[in-house]
Every structure is written in structure tokens, then in C-alpha cells.
Amino acid sequence: MLILYHVTPSANIPSILQSGLVPQLGQRSAIAGETVPAVFCFASLDEVETALMNWLGDYFDEDEQLSLLQVDISPDARLGEGAEYEVVVLSSIPAVAVEVLLHDVWNEAGLTDDALIISARP
């Protein structure tokens, strides 16, 4: 299994826990110029932190609550090409393969003046 991380608005959690993550072209995909439906993930918590403190954090409203998910990707999942910091998953990710690590990233993670500190839970 490949362990990846996905950031989503917390309002999406009930649907994700019921139906999983389905590749799609959403609001942020359109802004970023994406053309292939996908689930966009990160390979490490460091990459999540960097993205949230920079470009990804800019895509969300300041008051929008965000959740951090850990996803287990099966070996037969289809992966696509993406930027060096992302893993593009072209296959659906079933709900049983999704775990919510943080329900509110900004309030549950450590936040300093210039860094977001996300610790993996045991």
C-alpha cells in the first residue's frame, strides 16, 4: 500500500467517509488549469505543510475549515503525471481506505508565524 495525504474542506468529510474520494475536476482544479479528473494527494506531511503555507492555502477562504486525510492507495491504482510535489490518483479511493487525521488543520496542527507543524498520529 502507498500512503498519501489529501486536504479537503471539512464540509466534504461526511460524503468522503461514505463514498470515498472520486476523481473529478473541481473548483481548485479549474483554477489550476487541470484537465483530467483526479484526486490530488501529497506523498508526505512535509509536502502538505509546504502547500498549505503557500499556494494551497491561498485557494481556500481564510475561515474555511480544512481536514487532512490519510489515504491508502492500492498497488493497482492508476496514477497520473503531476507536479513534483503531488501524486495524481486517477482511480477512485474507497471510503475504507480513508482516515481523517485532522478535522481542522488550522486549529489542530501546530501553527507558528511561518510554519504549519503537522505531526503524524500513532
Coordinates of all heavy atoms in Angstrom, one line a residue, residues 38 60 82 89 99 101 111 120-121:
A38 N -9.1 13.8 -11.3 CA -8.1 13.1 -10.4 C -8.4 13.5 -9.0 O -9.1 14.4 -8.7 CB -6.7 13.5 -10.8
F60 N -8.1 28.5 -0.6 CA -9.3 28.4 0.3 C -9.5 29.8 1.0 O -8.6 30.5 1.2 CB -9.0 27.4 1.3 CG -8.9 26.0 0.8 CD1 -7.6 25.4 0.5 CD2 -10.0 25.2 0.5 CE1 -7.5 24.1 0.0 CE2 -9.9 23.9 0.0 CZ -8.7 23.4 -0.3
G82 N 1.9 14.6 -12.6 CA 1.6 15.8 -11.9 C 2.9 16.6 -11.6 O 4.0 16.2 -12.0
V89 N -3.9 10.8 -8.4 CA -4.5 9.5 -8.4 C -5.7 9.5 -9.3 O -6.6 10.3 -9.1 CB -5.0 9.1 -7.0 CG1 -5.6 7.7 -6.9 CG2 -3.8 9.1 -6.0
E99 N -8.7 7.8 6.1 CA -8.7 8.1 7.6 C -8.5 9.6 7.8 O -7.6 10.2 7.2 CB -7.6 7.4 8.3 CG -7.5 7.7 9.8 CD -6.3 7.0 10.5 OE1 -5.6 6.3 9.8 OE2 -6.1 7.4 11.6
L101 N -7.1 12.5 9.6 CA -6.0 12.7 10.6 C -6.3 14.0 11.4 O -6.1 14.0 12.6 CB -4.7 12.9 9.9 CG -4.1 11.7 9.2 CD1 -2.7 12.0 8.6 CD2 -4.0 10.5 10.2
L111 N 0.8 25.8 14.7 CA 1.0 26.9 13.7 C 1.9 28.0 14.3 O 1.6 28.5 15.4 CB -0.4 27.5 13.4 CG -0.5 28.6 12.4 CD1 0.0 28.0 11.0 CD2 -1.9 29.1 12.3
A120 N 2.3 13.3 12.5 CA 1.5 12.1 12.3 C 1.1 11.5 13.6 O 1.8 11.5 14.6 CB 2.4 11.1 11.5
R121 N -0.2 11.0 13.6 CA -0.6 10.4 14.8 C -0.2 8.9 14.8 O -0.2 8.3 13.8 CB -2.2 10.5 14.9 CG -2.6 11.9 15.1 CD -4.1 12.0 15.2 NE -4.5 13.4 15.4 CZ -5.7 13.8 15.4 NH1 -6.7 13.0 15.3 NH2 -6.0 15.1 15.6

